[in-house]
Amino acid sequence: GDSVTQMEGPVTLSEEAFLTINCTYTATGYPSLFWYVQYPGEGLQLLLKATKADDKGSNKGFEATYRKETTSFHLEKGSVQVSDSAVYFCALNSGGSNYKLTFGKGTLLTVNP
Amino acid sequence: DAGVTQSPTHLIKTRGQQVTLRCSPKSGHDTVSWYQQALGQGPQFIFQYYEEEERQRGNFPDRFSGHQFPNYSSELNVNALLLGDSALYLCASSFGQGRSYEQYFGPGTRLTVT
């Protein structure tokens, strides 16, 4: 079945540091890949997505590239801010008759000033 | 443009009781999915409704049931509550089908079972 593995957290960085959160997946078919962000006490917000190999999703300075050969979709940001502190979830949808999102366990990011 | 709304925000119930959670999808969306998020975990898919029918179901017991109304809003019902049902319940809405469609999440209902 489908599964998503994210790097274990928590991740603590100083403001303006470089961020990488690793995500690898196992899926049947040809999945679409997503990163969602959850701020404290809130629901999930879609951060970015990619729907085919070598696609790069980007939003608010965050980027992730769909790597089919390594089944990965790592999240990166060149310079994090305190306001980026949140939990980040990698997710996939494998399509066909499968309509659900399958999520990783999430990675807590804390950015200190 | 209103996003996905859920009610209530918080709920406290006793073991064995029944609960109903409600969701209104984002304007223009016709599909509603429900997820359970335990503390410190990623959301787990419960089921999805489209055209008032359950289209797909995750690994949840029959105690979990749902409904979608003609206006696309939805309810999640949980019977015979267990302590382990304590979680954040998230509703997500979307439009259309296919693996690339985006699901938009509401703020969730925090259910505590004592």
Side-chain angles (χ1 to χ4, degrees), chain A residues 86-100:
Chain A
V87 181
Y88 292 81
F89 292 94
C90 184
L92 69 83
N93 175 274
S94 56
S97 59
N98 180 24
Y99 303 102
K100 68 178 183 180

Side-chain angles (χ1 to χ4, degrees), chain B residues 19-51:
Chain B
V19 69
T20 298
L21 311 182
R22 295 177 176 81
C23 171
S24 291
K26 183 178 169 63
S27 177
H29 285 185
D30 58 4
T31 301
V32 172
S33 302
W34 288 93
Y35 294 81
Q36 180 195 66
Q37 186 181 15
L39 201 60
Q41 300 296 315
Q44 297 292 315
F45 176 76
I46 303 174
F47 41 54
Q48 184 180 89
Y49 278 83
Y50 172 70
E51 292 188 341

Side-chain angles (χ1 to χ4, degrees), chain B residues 50-109:
Chain B
Y50 172 70
E51 292 188 341
E52 302 180 50
E53 302 243 338
E54 183 183 288
R55 180 157 73 173
Q56 186 180 8
R57 187 179 184 90
N59 282 335
F60 280 81
D62 291 345
R63 298 187 296 109
F64 289 77
S65 63
H67 188 77
Q68 185 179 34
F69 299 94
N71 67 354
Y72 307 119
S73 66
S74 177
E75 288 182 349
L76 164 65
N77 300 291
V78 187
N79 294 322
L81 285 166
L82 304 174
L83 295 180
D85 295 331
S86 296
L88 180 67
Y89 288 84
L90 296 165
C91 170
S93 73
S94 55
F95 175 77
Q97 301 179 44
R99 60 179 180 82
S100 63
Y101 66 90
E102 299 170 8
Q103 294 191 24
Y104 291 80
F105 284 80
T109 293

Side-chain angles (χ1 to χ4, degrees), chain A residues 35-92:
Chain A
W35 277 100
Y36 280 85
V37 58
Q38 187 174 36
Y39 297 101
E42 299 185 11
L44 276 68
Q45 298 177 24
L46 178 65
L47 184 58
L48 52 85
K49 73 173 187 180
T51 60
K52 61 183 188 296
D54 301 325
D55 260 3
K56 177 184 285 189
S58 62
N59 186 26
K60 299 180 181 180
F62 290 90
E63 292 182 341
T65 301
Y66 190 139
R67 300 288 188 200
K68 188 172 188 295
E69 64 277 12
T70 55
T71 62
S72 65
F73 192 54
H74 305 321
L75 182 68
E76 297 182 336
K77 187 176 186 184
S79 176
V80 293
Q81 306 300 312
V82 172
S83 57
D84 293 327
S85 298
V87 181
Y88 292 81
F89 292 94
C90 184
L92 69 83

